[in-house]
């Protein structure tokens, strides 16, 4: 029995990128249809789609940049949390636009090592969270600017 659990703040399957082809479409799109943002550890690539007002998220965390599965799960969890909280803001920014967004958030650089004496796991989590905040802030400003330019 597959019971669907209604999570009020969840990120349901319908608003996530699931298939490899969906990720490939975002990563291989031409520059006119893309909005990109960068931070120290992450990259956001957003493809403008024909589905008006729909914002979907995908997360890519490779083994080369986060060796342990615990680290990959932590990064994905932090990215999902930020995606959930900023989704409505993105939808409002796209309210009068004639496109939606497929967004891929990708870890582009190795995470700092916690085995060093100067960085605890809690400090690394705060560092990652702050970097994600900075990334999404910059991305939201780019989406707002591109929305104003396309009027």
């Amino acid at each position: 029995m597959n019971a669907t659990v209604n999570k009020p703040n969840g990120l349901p399957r319908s608003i996530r990128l699931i298939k490899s082809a969906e990720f490939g479409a975002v990563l291989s799109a031409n520059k006119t249809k893309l909005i990109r943002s960068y931070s120290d550890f992450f990259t956001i690539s957003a493809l403008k789609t024909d589905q008006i007002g729909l914002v979907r998220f995908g997360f890519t965390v490779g083994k080369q940049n986060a060796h342990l599965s615990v680290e990959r799960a932590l990064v994905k969890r932090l990215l999902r949390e930020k995606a959930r909280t900023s989704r409505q803001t993105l939808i409002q920014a796209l309210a009068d636009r004639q496109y939606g967004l497929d967004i891929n958030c990708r870890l582009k650089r190795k995470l700092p090592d916690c085995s060093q004496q100067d960085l605890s796991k809690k400090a690394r989590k705060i560092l990652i969270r702050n970097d994600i905040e900075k990334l999404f802030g910059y991305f939201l400003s780019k989406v707002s600017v591109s929305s104003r330019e396309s009027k």
Side-chain angles (χ1 to χ4, degrees):
M1 178 176 154
N2 285 341
T4 304
V5 178
N6 188 10
K7 297 179 183 176
N9 293 326
L11 200 63
R13 190 174 176 91
S14 62
I15 59 169
R16 286 187 290 160
L17 300 178
I18 303 294
K19 298 179 182 177
S20 179
E22 295 169 340
F23 283 95
V26 173
L27 295 175
S28 64
N30 63 9
K31 291 183 180 181
T32 59
K33 289 189 169 188
L34 274 180
I35 301 172
R36 285 201 172 137
S37 296
Y38 306 95
S39 68
D40 294 337
F41 292 104
F42 298 96
T43 299
I44 287 184
S45 300
L47 174 66
K48 296 176 184 177
T49 64
D50 296 335
Q51 300 169 336
I52 298 171
L54 180 65
V55 177
R56 299 188 313 163
F57 289 94
F59 309 102
T60 308
V61 181
K63 288 183 182 178
Q64 289 182 339
N65 295 327
H67 297 290
L68 301 176
S69 64
V70 175
E71 294 173 343
R72 292 191 298 275
L74 169 71
V75 171
K76 287 180 188 178
R77 188 169 52 247
L78 292 173
L79 284 169
R80 275 195 308 269
E81 174 188 337
K82 188 59 185 170
R84 271 194 302 270
T85 57
S86 63
R87 184 171 179 269
Q88 288 302 319
T89 309
L90 279 168
I91 290 173
Q92 290 171 357
L94 296 174
D96 54 345
R97 301 293 136 251
Q98 296 301 313
Y99 59 85
L101 292 175
D102 282 354
I103 301 169
N104 182 20
C105 304
R106 184 176 67 88
L107 179 66
K108 69 175 183 177
R109 198 177 118 194
K110 287 187 178 183
L111 293 176
D113 194 8
C114 278
S115 63
Q116 300 170 351
Q117 297 297 327
D118 57 339
L119 187 65
S120 69
K121 288 182 180 180
K122 192 170 191 174
R124 181 175 68 170
K125 186 175 180 179
I126 291 169
L127 177 71
I128 295 168
R129 184 174 279 143
N130 289 340
D131 194 58
I132 291 170
E133 290 283 336
K134 181 173 73 170
L135 174 71
F136 270 80
Y138 185 59
F139 178 70
L140 284 170
S141 68
K142 268 192 159 181
V143 168
S144 298
V145 167
S146 71
S147 294
R148 277 189 247 125
E149 287 175 355
S150 63
K151 280 187 180 179

